[in-house]
Amino acid sequence: MNNVLLIRKIQALLHDPPEKPIILGRIGHEGRAKEIMRELIGDAAAIPEDIKTADHIASAADRINLPRDERFISDFLRNPEIIHSLSGKGFNLGSLAQINIDHITDDVDRAVGELADKYRGDSEKIYLSLWRSLVDMLIEDGQSNLGQLWELLPADTRIPDHSIWEHKRVTSAIAGALPKPAFLLFAIGPVQEFIATARKTQDLWAGSYLLSYLSWSAMKVVAEEFGPDCLIFPDLHRQPFVDKWLIEKGLEIDALGNELLSSPTLPNRFLAVIPAESVKDIAEKAKKHVQETFASACRAVKEKMSEKCGIHPSAEWDEIWQRQTDDFIETYWSATVIDEVEDIDGFIAEYKRLMGTSSEWPFDNLLRAYERGFKPNIGTVYAQIYRLTEKTLGSRKAIRDFKQQDEPNHKCTLCGLREPVHPGMFNNQTCREEFGALTGFWRENVMPAFPQIRRTERLCGICVTKRLAASSFFREQMGLDISNSFPSVSMVATASFKEKVIKNISHPEINTRANEFIFILNTLFEGKKERMNGEPLPMVRRMCNNPGTVALENKDIAHKFASIEGDWLYEDSFRESLKDDIPNYSEELCNAAQAALKKLLQAAKKIDIDQPSKYYAVFLMDGDNMGKWLSGENAPTIGEIMHPIVRDGLEPKEWDTLLTMKRPLNPSLHLATSKALRDFSLHVAREIVEKDHLGKLVYAGGDDVLAFVNLKDLPEVMRKLRACFSGSLIVNEETSKVDIDFKEGRGFIPVDGEGVPLNIENNKNKINGFRLSMGTKATASMGVVIAHHNSNLAKVLDDVRRCEKEAKNLKDKNAFCISLAKRSGGTESVSAKWYYDSEKEGIFEPIPLLREWADAFYNDHMSPKMVYTFRTETTGLEGKDLPRGAVRHELLRIADRQRIKKNKGFNKETMEKMVVRIIKFHESGLSLEKVSVFLSVAAFLGREGNR
């Protein structure tokens, strides 16, 4: 960015002071803006005309154009109202009349002065710090004690559904694009094929991470040229890749930890507002940068393989890599150019023609009402500009790029599409000799050099890049401090067993047996510890470092035990077929290891620690109807986003119909959606899956989450993620306890002083803020698969995607589907809504019911035989014209027969309450056959849950 553009964007970010809604009507906000500008850039005689134009466009895009009338001015201090951007739910803050305005302005002066002292004379750093850091500085420090309310101060107190910060960022984006702005929509792919092709959990993460980084490489081109605020979505504010970029530019912001930088959270598309004259150049530049970044990753892996495997340059080696990687990444873009920002008639006429709009277009009525307010401009039709750009991109993607590509010889064992990379070995050989040479190269050259490669694998250039890019490219060449390992499914399955052993590591017999087992494993895997150890789940690793759980003298053994690859906690793993995986394989050592493990398991059983489970769960959650949220179809109504005082003052005859219309799509709605999804993916999902429970995120790319979780915690993780996605939470103000409530939820996620979402079950910290969610009108669906640790991961992933689709096939979506894939054969699944809402009985949730029955089976309150009995004895009841209550009496009879009566802690009354809830589930629409599957899943969780 040149200095002229930087000054313009600084002026745009400061054209309204941060405290505008508080000082409005008390202190002249334009004069106040000039004071702040003068402190930072010196020259502030007047706000330039192009900034005023950008302000008008941003205001027209974000606000309802109300009549020019004093009645429609709302005093924020006396009537502070905040409205959730996505749900339209209002929050009355009572009164802020006690606020000392001098403290407010002093806080702003102090923060601005600090930025001026740090970066005076450097326009780029001033601009970037205003965009990134100012709001955080105001939240964290100052006399006003506004806290996170700084982040919510509305841009327009009459329509308080978007903040002053969002308005300033949109104004800056438009100011940088004038006089002829263009709306650029850019996407990369292929997404599903690249991510889904996986044999190991690390492949899933690596594919997601590489795509996320490629997306950033395209966004970075635009941000470097026109500033990060020109991207309307995703919102780049506080994104880890962006913060690293800012730190490299010299901004003083908190250093990023390994955890955030290892998170693939950026989507594969973005919308930016840039100058029309630059749109083609910048799109092609972004495309080129994506391709070069991917080529660099592939080249880094290729060079590392050449170095470590002793591969000499050869025409065939180079040709395979070039053929497979040069054109693999696809990019698409479309743009809508605005020739005249003040005259929208021409655009509307062309939009109607291209989109086939009917003569009775409801938006025309809104435009006529707007005539009593400020003159409409191109910002007024932001929704139409976006829809036209989106439709154009869809048309471009429909024209598939095609390049003929021959892939001779044997195929990659991961994707099955491309030839494995090799240095050339097929000249004048038979098919059998070819295969022998290929497998020999991978086993004898590649596998010893790269422990990430399995003995049966032969990978193409794309798949081996995914497997090795974390270390060879991201860590070594890009200097990113990210983890280059990922827990295996066996580590996930055995996590609850490890958790219990580590909690009891001070127990004399447990300590002795664990040490003996580790000693023999060290002997067995001498010289190749990477085959012995794996990556523990985050919660298990943290437990080892917790002095309240593990005494200092046991910390070392706890870490060693936590790191044992999960496979080696199963007795049947020590068999001859694994001798290629064990460097010092001998029957004697394997038998000794097996015996040591058996003694450890026996010692654990004595203190009620169950055997390690061989099953784990993987789930895929995806926001419902996200296209409708981004297009504005699911937006609140115009009436919902107005301040009640303003809404009540409108002329009924003119506005009653308009108030029921959907609020027009606007940039702040896009920013709010992006912000909610960013917070959910970066902070909330990770907190729930990895910090509160035994799980590991693969990716959380906004509305979609893929993760592995131990069976012990599966129901809780499912329910919490769904509730937090829409902010279906309520807070007891006296106890600060957070509860899930799908009916009365507020749309926000409470956090503590560190910005960490509070644990829904047992938070001990004080609520000190919140994160925005998608709002209580938003829903999400989830597919879950419970699978054996030796199951083919590619098939398991196919199943989880199928389950997610089945959940979305339920009416109105907002559902989950659980599939139980037993190793012994047979897969069964059950789909249900997250909750059922009855006017008479209120909200009914199946997931707590799943946990209740799983606990009953686990604690031997109910016999697992109930599942078989229920299934066989209710077969003939479905669809019959039976007397009222007949099904209920039959289920009560079956349950009472299977109740383990010697257990005094579980009486008949408790059992009947559980059966009544199962009947309610059935009456909500689930067939008796599917109820039996639901109970089968519960029984399995009870048996395998290892709690």
Side-chain angles (χ1 to χ4, degrees):
M1 287 180 284
N2 60 47
N3 202 58
V4 173
L5 177 58
L6 287 166
I7 295 297
R8 184 188 302 174
K9 293 181 80 68
I10 291 170
Q11 290 169 329
L13 287 176
L14 295 175
H15 80 279
D16 280 338
E19 71 270 39
K20 176 185 174 181
I22 290 176
I23 67 173
L24 194 64
R26 295 172 173 83
I27 300 175
H29 69 276
E30 289 191 8
R32 178 73 178 134
K34 291 175 188 176
E35 288 179 16
I36 299 173
M37 283 188 206
R38 192 176 297 115
E39 174 69 14
L40 286 169
I41 57 177
D43 182 17
I47 296 176
E49 286 302 315
D50 56 351
I51 303 302
K52 291 181 180 178
T53 299
D55 178 30
H56 295 160
I57 294 171
S59 298
D62 277 332
R63 305 173 195 176
I64 304 302
N65 200 351
L66 293 166
R68 299 193 189 191
D69 193 315
E70 291 293 325
R71 291 177 301 160
F72 303 115
I73 296 176
S74 172
D75 187 326
F76 185 71
L77 289 187
R78 288 194 175 91
N79 301 291
E81 180 92 4
I82 298 294
I83 293 174
H84 194 291
S85 310
L86 303 169
S87 70
K89 183 172 285 191
F91 299 88
N92 189 303
L93 303 180
S95 174
L96 302 177
Q98 75 282 0
I99 283 179
N100 187 320
I101 293 179
D102 289 339
H103 289 170
I104 296 290
T105 55
D106 285 348
D107 284 352
V108 175
D109 287 341
R110 189 180 302 107
V112 169
E114 189 178 328
L115 292 181
D117 291 342
K118 284 181 181 177
Y119 308 124
R120 195 179 304 280
D122 191 326
S123 299
E124 183 180 45
K125 289 180 181 175
I126 289 173
Y127 156 64
L128 291 172
S129 63
L130 285 173
W131 173 77
R132 171 60 179 85
S133 302
L134 183 57
V135 64
D136 289 347
M137 294 168 70
L138 292 171
I139 291 171
E140 292 166 7
D141 301 310
Q143 305 175 61
S144 62
N145 295 319
L146 277 188
Q148 205 166 356
L149 186 55
W150 274 112
E151 196 170 359
L152 289 180
L153 292 178
D156 187 333
T157 57
R158 303 166 303 170
I159 304 109
D161 73 331
H162 63 287
S163 76
I164 189 77
W165 305 97
E166 287 154 359
H167 170 66
K168 284 143 66 85
R169 290 168 189 163
V170 174
T171 302
S172 176
I174 294 168
L178 291 174
K180 288 186 177 182
F183 290 74
L184 170 66
L185 194 57
F186 188 98
I188 68 173
V191 177
Q192 286 303 323
E193 175 195 337
F194 191 63
I195 294 175
T197 304
R199 176 170 291 171
K200 299 174 66 176
T201 52
Q202 187 173 358
D203 295 337
L204 280 174
W205 170 83
S208 305
Y209 192 80
L210 188 50
L211 272 178
S212 188
Y213 189 79
L214 292 175
S215 293
W216 162 236
S217 70
M219 296 173 197
K220 183 180 178 181
V221 169
V222 186
E224 289 272 15
E225 198 80 22
F226 301 108
D229 53 20
C230 79
L231 284 102
I232 303 300
F233 73 76
D235 180 8
L236 296 185
H237 192 243
R238 298 173 180 156
Q239 283 284 358
F241 287 144
V242 183
D243 277 0
K244 184 177 185 298
W245 171 65
L246 294 174
I247 291 170
E248 290 168 354
K249 283 185 169 292
L251 253 64
E252 295 180 23
I253 55 180
D254 291 340
L256 296 166
N258 169 287
E259 187 176 88
L260 286 179
L261 272 177
S262 300
S263 305
T265 58
L266 286 173
N268 69 316
R269 48 191 268 146
F270 65 82
L271 175 70
V273 183
I274 60 176
E277 62 186 26
S278 303
V279 69
K280 184 174 182 180
D281 177 64
I282 207 74
E284 291 300 321
K285 192 174 178 182
K287 173 181 178 178
K288 183 180 179 182
H289 197 56
V290 168
Q291 292 172 335
E292 287 176 349
T293 302
F294 184 68
S296 296
C298 296
R299 187 165 53 250
V301 171
K302 177 188 173 188
E303 290 172 354
K304 181 60 69 172
M305 288 185 71
S306 297
E307 174 194 333
K308 295 188 73 171
C309 299
I311 299 171
H312 299 293
S314 73
E316 194 160 2
W317 173 252
D318 292 339
E319 188 276 330
I320 294 173
W321 277 95
Q322 184 174 2
R323 181 182 77 230
Q324 294 179 352
T325 62
D326 274 3
D327 299 311
F328 178 76
I329 295 296
E330 302 167 357
T331 58
Y332 309 94
W333 64 271
S334 68
T336 300
V337 173
I338 307 301
D339 288 322
E340 180 53 64
V341 296
E342 296 294 339
D343 181 14
I344 64 173
D345 292 340
F347 173 81
I348 288 177
E350 187 66 7
Y351 176 84
K352 288 181 175 180
R353 184 184 71 81
L354 291 172
M355 302 295 280
T357 305
S358 64
S359 56
E360 295 183 4
W361 191 33
F363 192 69
D364 282 332
N365 298 328
L366 195 60
L367 286 176
R368 281 193 290 272
Y370 280 0
E371 291 172 2
R372 292 181 56 190
F374 292 94
K375 181 183 176 183
N377 57 44
I378 204 66
T380 311
V381 291
Y382 174 86
Q384 288 71 34
I385 294 172
Y386 173 73
R387 288 179 191 129
L388 183 61
T389 312
E390 177 73 64
K391 195 171 184 68
T392 308
L393 181 68
S395 299
R396 167 61 186 91
K397 291 176 76 172
I399 306 171
R400 294 289 181 186
D401 296 336
F402 179 76
K403 181 181 178 182
Q404 182 66 40
Q405 180 171 306
D406 292 327
E407 287 292 340
N409 305 317
H410 303 280
K411 297 296 181 284
C412 171
T413 53
L414 188 53
C415 68
L417 300 173
R418 293 172 289 271
E419 181 181 14
V421 294
H422 59 81
M425 54 188 61
F426 293 151
N427 294 329
N428 304 316
Q429 291 183 314
T430 65
C431 183
R432 178 173 293 181
E433 288 172 331
E434 289 175 1
F435 184 73
L438 181 64
T439 55
F441 165 72
W442 276 87
R443 286 187 188 179
E444 295 165 19
N445 294 66
V446 182
M447 184 179 151
F450 298 97
Q452 304 96 317
I453 304 297
R454 293 181 176 179
R455 61 186 290 274
T456 57
E457 289 183 319
R458 301 169 296 280
L459 307 181
C460 66
I462 303 297
C463 293
V464 78
T465 294
K466 278 205 306 183
R467 185 69 62 82
L468 304 179
S471 55
S472 301
F473 177 63
F474 289 114
R475 290 177 67 88
E476 295 180 17
Q477 292 202 5
M478 302 306 296
L480 288 172
D481 183 23
I482 62 170
S483 172
N484 59 356
S485 60
F486 197 92
S488 68
V489 293
S490 298
M491 294 294 270
V492 179
T494 57
S496 56
F497 173 78
K498 286 185 176 182
E499 178 188 45
K500 283 190 172 183
V501 169
I502 290 168
K503 283 181 179 178
N504 291 277
I505 201 69
S506 60
H507 187 283
E509 189 174 4
I510 292 290
N511 193 289
T512 300
R513 297 308 179 193
N515 269 301
E516 288 175 355
F517 181 53
I518 292 169
F519 175 80
I520 293 176
L521 285 184
N522 280 328
T523 306
L524 197 58
F525 288 93
E526 187 177 0
K528 210 155 189 180
K529 294 291 177 60
E530 62 272 7
R531 297 290 185 191
M532 167 184 164
N533 293 325
E535 179 69 20
L537 293 190
M539 192 172 180
V540 174
R541 184 181 291 280
R542 281 196 310 277
M543 184 185 302
C544 298
N545 294 322
N546 184 354
T549 304
V550 177
L552 184 62
E553 63 270 20
N554 291 320
K555 186 176 178 180
D556 183 58
I557 182 66
H559 273 288
K560 288 178 179 178
F561 186 74
S563 298
I564 294 172
E565 176 55 58
D567 283 334
W568 309 121
L569 293 177
Y570 306 125
E571 291 183 62
D572 58 1
S573 292
F574 299 95
R575 57 186 186 275
E576 188 176 355
S577 61
L578 290 182
K579 62 184 178 184
D580 288 333
D581 284 325
I582 300 176
N584 299 315
Y585 175 83
S586 74
E587 189 174 343
E588 183 181 356
L589 275 176
C590 274
N591 288 340
Q594 197 174 42
L597 174 60
K598 190 171 184 178
K599 290 178 181 178
L600 172 62
L601 297 179
Q602 289 171 343
K605 190 174 182 180
K606 290 178 184 177
I607 56 171
D608 295 325
I609 299 177
D610 299 323
Q611 301 289 294
S613 175
K614 294 185 177 182
Y615 286 81
Y616 67 95
V618 57
F619 65 80
L620 176 62
M621 189 176 94
D622 186 56
D624 296 329
N625 305 312
M626 290 308 298
K628 291 184 178 180
W629 283 104
L630 286 174
S631 68
E633 289 182 61
N634 283 349
T637 64
I638 290 174
E640 286 177 315
I641 54 93
M642 285 186 180
H643 194 291
I645 292 176
V646 175
R647 183 174 60 240
D648 295 342
L650 292 170
E651 293 290 338
K653 180 183 275 189
E654 185 175 10
W655 281 88
D656 273 4
T657 301
L658 297 176
L659 291 177
T660 61
M661 285 180 59
K662 290 288 184 186
R663 186 232 210 281
L665 178 66
N666 60 312
S668 288
L669 197 66
H670 273 154
L671 284 170
T673 303
S674 181
K675 181 180 178 181
L677 295 178
R678 177 203 67 201
D679 282 356
F680 179 75
S681 59
L682 266 179
H683 303 287
V684 179
R686 185 171 300 281
E687 188 72 22
I688 292 171
V689 175
E690 296 188 355
K691 294 188 176 178
D692 292 345
H693 298 288
L694 292 169
K696 180 65 180 176
L697 276 177
V698 177
Y699 64 77
D703 67 302
D704 55 341
V705 177
L706 179 66
F708 293 87
V709 66
N710 185 269
L711 296 188
K712 164 181 169 285
D713 289 339
L714 176 61
E716 286 73 25
V717 171
M718 290 173 64
R719 183 171 180 247
K720 290 177 185 178
L721 280 174
R722 169 60 190 89
C724 287
F725 181 78
S726 57
S728 298
L729 307 169
I730 57 172
V731 179
N732 184 313
E733 294 183 4
E734 293 182 4
T735 64
S736 290
K737 188 175 185 303
V738 183
D739 289 312
I740 292 173
D741 192 321
F742 286 105
K743 194 163 190 175
E744 302 296 334
R746 308 300 286 165
F748 294 93
I749 301 159
V751 298
D752 63 18
E754 301 297 321
V756 175
L758 296 179
N759 190 309
I760 292 168
E761 290 171 334
N762 55 355
N763 60 287
K764 297 177 182 177
N765 298 331
K766 184 180 178 182
I767 294 173
N768 199 39
F770 50 84
R771 295 193 185 278
L772 180 71
S773 78
M774 280 294 294
T776 51
K777 290 183 181 178
T779 63
S781 296
M782 181 184 288
V784 183
V785 173
I786 298 170
H788 192 276
H789 76 108
N790 278 336
S791 297
N792 182 292
L793 183 59
K795 184 181 183 307
V796 172
L797 294 172
D798 285 341
D799 286 345
V800 82
R801 284 185 284 273
R802 173 187 58 77
C803 285
E804 186 227 3
K805 288 178 182 175
E806 286 189 17
K808 285 183 177 286
N809 283 336
L810 265 64
K811 184 182 178 183
D812 299 325
K813 303 178 182 179
N814 193 27
F816 64 88
C817 174
I818 300 181
S819 177
L820 175 58
K822 295 180 182 177
R823 185 70 168 172
S824 56
T827 299
E828 50 188 5
S829 60
V830 56
S831 301
K833 309 288 280 185
W834 290 105
Y835 57 88
Y836 298 86
D837 191 2
S838 164
E839 287 186 16
K840 191 179 289 187
E841 299 182 13
I843 293 285
F844 165 68
E845 292 184 65
I847 294 297
L849 184 64
L850 180 67
R851 168 53 73 205
E852 189 176 33
W853 277 92
D855 287 345
F857 288 121
Y858 177 77
N859 292 313
D860 290 330
H861 295 157
M862 298 293 296
S863 168
K865 291 180 181 178
M866 179 186 169
V867 177
Y868 175 77
T869 306
F870 183 98
R871 186 167 294 179
T872 55
E873 296 190 15
T874 60
T875 303
L877 300 181
E878 197 76 67
K880 303 294 184 182
D881 186 16
L882 298 171
R884 183 177 176 82
V887 171
R888 173 176 178 157
H889 286 300
E890 177 62 7
L891 298 191
L892 286 169
R893 182 188 67 81
I894 293 171
D896 194 44
R897 279 174 51 199
Q898 301 302 327
R899 177 169 62 92
I900 300 175
K901 297 177 177 60
K902 66 180 180 180
N903 195 322
K904 302 300 182 183
F906 187 78
N907 56 33
K908 186 174 182 179
E909 183 182 357
T910 304
M911 178 271 294
E912 287 178 349
K913 287 179 180 178
M914 288 176 56
V915 173
V916 166
R917 284 190 279 275
I918 277 287
I919 293 167
K920 188 185 292 187
F921 196 16
H922 169 55
E923 291 171 348
S924 297
L926 205 69
S927 69
L928 289 173
E929 179 190 356
K930 290 300 182 182
V931 170
S932 72
V933 176
F934 183 83
L935 288 172
S936 179
V937 172
F940 192 85
L941 290 177
R943 185 172 70 250
E944 293 285 337
N946 198 332
R947 279 160 287 172

